[in-house]
Amino acid sequence: MLTRPLATVAVLAALGSLAACGSEDDSATDDPTTTASSEGGSGSFEPAAEGECAYPSDGNPAVEGVDAPSADPTVEGEVEVSITTNVGDIDAVLDADTTPCTVNSFVSLADQGYFDGTECHRLTIAPSTIFVLQCGDPTATGTGGPGYTIPDELSGEETYPAGTLAMAKTPYPDSGGSQFFMVYEDTPLPPNYTVFGAVDPEGVEVLREIAEKGTANGGPDGPPTETVELESVTAG
């Protein structure tokens, strides 16, 4: 997610500043942000065992039936992923060598069916200068997550051209979860969001077709006019 949506700020918050999803603010921002979710099942995740990646609990209930990833990544190299939606298929390639902890989490969630049947809750369009579709929240509110957080994997030189696949997060470090965003036009964001893959050209065209229909609220930042459901996400 750019950032997991703030209290109401998903990937891109209100136009203006690029806030990441996951902030605890109720105002929208231009960044992909997310807010911690209170949805889910009972219990919470224990910090991951010793290993390359740490996936500590985010302090919220764990999602029923979803386990935290292994602390040791189970994938490497390029990982193909197919995102089947009700409006078209979006294929991407994940970079497990550069962002092993992020890809490890994404693949784990995909394998568990976490994304299946969820809706993409946020679309940003002109006059915003951010052009993304944000997905990965099972609550479709911009506040949901898997019950754990993942570490940032940043070089400080990240850019977000069309085709970028990146994680949303709150304004705080290492606060990503399950929300992610896909960029359909070059977008000037600060290098705060982990870029963990790339959408193929055909997938970018699907994103542009979604964007052309605008947002349900008629503004530059809101749910897509046409409901976009992730029917299945298959990795590997």
Side-chain angles (χ1 to χ4, degrees):
M1 321 163 223
L2 291 166
T3 42
R4 291 178 294 173
L6 307 182
T8 47
V9 201
V11 187
L12 319 170
L15 311 175
S17 63
L18 302 175
C21 299
S23 78
E24 297 176 356
D25 197 294
D26 280 330
S27 58
T29 69
D30 274 335
D31 291 86
T33 55
T34 60
T35 43
S37 168
S38 60
E39 303 292 330
S42 60
S44 60
F45 290 117
E46 294 296 327
E50 291 185 5
E52 180 176 348
C53 305
Y55 300 107
S57 168
D58 64 6
N60 294 296
V63 175
E64 184 175 358
V66 175
D67 296 323
S70 166
D72 292 308
T74 59
V75 292
E76 59 184 10
E78 294 186 344
V79 180
E80 295 183 354
V81 61
S82 296
I83 303 173
T84 301
T85 82
N86 61 312
V87 295
D89 295 340
I90 301 171
D91 292 331
V93 175
L94 313 184
D95 184 354
D97 287 343
T98 302
T99 56
C101 298
T102 303
V103 173
N104 186 51
S105 174
F106 189 91
V107 170
S108 172
L109 292 174
D111 287 348
Q112 295 180 74
Y114 174 91
F115 299 113
D116 299 356
T118 63
E119 294 181 10
C120 297
H121 62 278
R122 191 175 187 187
L123 174 68
T124 54
I125 59 176
S128 168
T129 57
I130 307 246
F131 306 100
V132 307
L133 177 69
Q134 188 166 329
C135 313
D137 174 6
T139 71
T141 63
T143 64
Y148 64 85
T149 59
I150 62 178
D152 294 333
E153 295 180 294
L154 302 168
S155 68
E157 299 180 356
E158 284 76 13
T159 58
Y160 305 88
T164 298
L165 175 61
M167 292 299 297
K169 57 182 282 186
T170 72
Y172 303 102
D174 305 318
S175 59
S178 60
Q179 293 185 41
F180 62 93
F181 62 95
M182 297 175 282
V183 183
Y184 62 91
E185 298 292 354
D186 295 357
T187 291
L189 285 168
N192 298 336
Y193 307 97
T194 298
V195 175
F196 68 103
V199 175
D200 70 13
E202 291 78 10
V204 172
E205 286 306 312
V206 172
L207 296 172
R208 287 172 176 160
E209 290 173 7
I210 294 169
E212 286 176 1
K213 297 177 182 178
T215 61
N217 62 18
D221 181 1
T225 293
E226 179 179 10
T227 297
V228 179
E229 178 180 312
L230 304 186
E231 296 178 345
S232 67
V233 177
T234 305

